[in-house]
Amino acid sequence: MRLSRRQAIGAVAAPMIVPSSVFGRNAPSNRVAVGAIGVGRISRVHDMKEIHKHADAQIVAVCDVDTKRLGAGMQLVDDRYAASTGKNYSGTRGYTDYRELLAATDIDAVLISTPDHQHAPLAVHAVQAGKHVYLQKPASLTIAEGRRVADEVKKSGRILQIGSQQRGQDPWPQFHRACELVRNGRVGKLRHVEIGLPGDPSGPEAPRMPIPPNLNYDAWLGTTSEQYYTEIRVHPQNSFEDRPGWLRMEQFGAGMITGWGAHHVDIAHWGMDMEHSGLVEIWGSAEFPKSGLWDVHGPFETHARYANGVTMTISGALPNGVKFIGDKGWVFVQRTGAVSSSDPSKPADVPLSASDAKILDSVIGPNEVQLYKAPEQHRNWLDAILKGVPVSAPAEIGHRACSTCLLHHVAMKTGRRLKWDPKAEKFIGDDAANAMLSRPQRAKYAI
């Protein structure tokens, strides 16, 4: 359903269409017309904010199943364009059904900034509708869904960028630098990778609550099973800053192992030169809450082995970042400065450290491995659409990072040592583990 901003917040008014003259030489015909699907916390402070920086793109429509958030999203976009042009602006369209936004022929591309369980279905439907996609990480809820996304993107010819912003020169060039050092042997032969992730606390019991009249809760649940509504299962009704409860529920995601793991595993794969493959063996353990609504993993430690002999440890007890350990030294890389509300509350001061300062001073020669140097990811995505340059985190690479995280989650859940075939994307000789590669989907929302 398409709504005007006033309708979205409870009144009735027709949307005002603003002429292209408001934007002068950057008229609609010269810009990428973008629709934003999901306009909560991460979209407001990161995805839509980044698109607004660029004159060759315009957010023309937003979509959310919560009309309170929809109205606030429309207002935010209108206000940003009014401020940047110095003229009144109220032309942002609003939709409560993403399928109607995808059907709009004047929209070229979409931002998908929804909860994790909606990522894969919306991405599949978007590329099938001919739209380019910027997809928040993790790529999928299950490995089967992630494979479907990668295959549909390839079939469609559309451009999909996974939100793995540690690959960009802006804001964190240290990740590119670390991976180039490792790929060019500055730590010697790579032996082991350590990844440290933040944790999630368990939560309280939560009684059934009336569904807010502004929320289409059935659509919000999407492919996942029907469950009673309570606010801490979904998102805060009166805040964009507070962390939503769905992040801590296995119905909608795997917890920090995918939420932050998708970033760091992607960097590990980049440095390991394993972006298009994956591990061959996985094992580990984790603690899970014994009570309360929130049920994602707590403290954990998991281990993996790759076909080239490199091993990996992921744990909440390790420092947040990625450490590459070779037979001649190590490099440790981490974030500095907050970019979105998901970043650490106390960012690190030192982006890159090593066992020997000479490693960090090393110059990568012209005949050595030169990794793709891309700008900030949203800018890179727009350049890919407008100029045909590669995206830094395409669907297949995003899928491989996410699927590796999900394999670590399977190891947590089973507690068994598991063999994995990265080409077939199946466990070897373990039907019970293979049953965890997909989930039933409600037919109404299935892909």
Side-chain angles (χ1 to χ4, degrees):
M1 179 180 180
R2 178 177 163 181
L3 300 177
S4 71
R5 186 177 67 252
R6 290 183 180 178
Q7 286 173 321
I9 58 177
V12 178
M16 184 177 78
I17 305 301
V18 175
S20 61
S21 59
V22 167
F23 293 92
R25 66 184 179 86
N26 290 304
S29 60
N30 302 323
R31 299 191 306 274
V32 179
V34 177
I37 304 175
V39 288
R41 185 181 63 142
I42 196 70
S43 186
R44 293 174 65 90
V45 303
H46 184 51
D47 290 328
M48 292 196 295
K49 183 179 180 181
E50 289 296 334
I51 294 299
H52 183 72
K53 293 178 180 179
H54 305 295
D56 52 5
Q58 183 191 351
I59 298 171
V60 299
V62 299
C63 177
D64 205 289
V65 295
D66 186 327
T67 57
K68 183 186 291 187
R69 291 188 162 213
L70 176 63
M74 296 167 73
Q75 185 71 62
L76 179 70
V77 176
D78 282 354
D79 289 348
R80 282 175 175 168
Y81 283 123
S84 62
T85 62
K87 301 178 182 180
N88 291 333
Y89 185 81
S90 59
T92 309
R93 306 199 302 269
Y95 297 88
T96 56
D97 187 333
Y98 75 90
R99 293 167 295 189
E100 294 184 6
L101 184 150
L102 294 180
T105 58
D106 64 337
I107 293 176
D108 306 306
V110 294
L111 301 170
I112 297 177
S113 313
T114 61
D116 294 359
H117 66 289
Q118 300 275 19
H119 289 179
L122 268 61
V124 168
H125 293 155
V127 296
Q128 288 176 340
K131 312 301 183 188
H132 304 296
V133 176
Y134 186 96
L135 180 64
Q136 264 296 330
K137 57 78 213 164
S140 63
L141 184 64
T142 68
I143 291 175
E145 286 184 358
R147 171 45 55 206
R148 178 72 186 279
V149 170
D151 290 347
E152 288 290 340
V153 170
K154 184 177 181 180
K155 186 191 307 181
S156 71
R158 297 298 90 187
I159 295 164
L160 185 143
Q161 172 90 296
I162 297 286
S164 189
Q165 64 263 32
Q166 291 177 172
R167 282 181 171 256
Q169 289 296 296
D170 176 18
W172 298 304
Q174 61 263 34
F175 290 97
H176 177 278
R177 173 66 172 162
C179 291
E180 266 195 352
L181 290 171
V182 174
R183 291 276 285 269
N184 287 290
R186 298 306 193 268
V187 298
K189 183 174 176 57
L190 185 64
R191 300 293 192 192
H192 186 65
V193 180
E194 292 181 347
I195 296 176
L197 303 180
D200 257 327
S202 59
E205 300 293 344
R208 181 187 296 269
M209 297 171 64
I211 299 172
N214 49 287
L215 174 65
N216 183 342
Y217 181 54
D218 185 74
W220 186 89
L221 288 171
T223 61
T224 72
S225 63
E226 293 182 19
Q227 302 288 343
Y228 71 84
Y229 173 83
T230 189
E231 188 170 357
I232 69 166
R233 189 192 302 276
V234 187
H235 54 248
Q237 278 294 307
N238 295 306
S239 169
F240 290 109
E241 290 76 29
D242 294 336
R243 199 155 175 262
W246 63 262
L247 282 164
R248 287 163 275 197
M249 297 209 63
E250 286 198 337
Q251 180 173 355
F252 312 116
M256 283 295 189
I257 189 62
T258 53
W260 258 85
H263 286 301
H264 286 347
V265 168
D266 178 49
I267 294 302
H269 282 179
W270 204 12
M272 295 164 67
D273 194 14
M274 295 296 290
E275 299 164 280
H276 294 277
S277 183
L279 55 87
V280 296
E281 191 174 17
I282 181 85
W283 66 98
S285 61
E287 296 177 19
F288 289 87
K290 295 180 172 60
S291 63
L293 187 73
W294 295 335
D295 58 359
V296 296
H297 69 82
F300 77 100
E301 184 173 295
T302 52
H303 307 271
R305 181 177 63 83
Y306 287 74
N308 60 4
V310 176
T311 55
M312 178 184 290
T313 296
I314 307 181
S315 173
L318 293 168
N320 189 342
V322 184
K323 188 174 187 178
F324 297 98
I325 303 170
D327 60 5
K328 294 181 180 178
W330 55 263
V331 167
F332 177 70
V333 61
Q334 58 188 332
R335 291 189 184 185
T336 49
V339 169
S340 76
S341 50
S342 296
D343 291 330
S345 56
K346 295 181 180 180
D349 295 324
V350 181
L352 196 59
S353 55
S355 54
D356 187 334
K358 292 179 181 178
I359 295 174
L360 303 183
D361 294 335
S362 175
V363 176
I364 306 299
N367 296 322
E368 293 189 282
V369 176
Q370 305 277 340
L371 297 179
Y372 182 44
K373 191 173 282 189
E376 191 278 331
Q377 274 210 308
H378 298 80
R379 178 66 261 169
N380 176 221
W381 178 59
L382 294 174
D383 287 343
I385 295 169
L386 293 167
K387 303 175 184 178
V389 304
V391 289
S392 60
E396 184 66 33
I397 285 175
H399 165 62
R400 291 294 179 170
C402 181
S403 63
T404 297
C405 297
L406 291 168
L407 292 174
H408 281 263
H409 186 246
V410 172
M412 293 182 201
K413 302 293 283 189
T414 64
R416 296 196 299 275
R417 202 174 186 105
L418 302 165
K419 304 285 188 179
W420 176 253
D421 182 339
K423 185 175 182 180
E425 294 187 290
K426 296 287 184 183
F427 289 104
I428 300 170
D430 198 319
D431 291 342
N434 280 323
M436 302 173 73
L437 302 179
S438 62
R439 298 192 196 185
Q441 296 182 338
R442 288 198 293 159
K444 187 175 180 181
Y445 300 99
I447 55 172

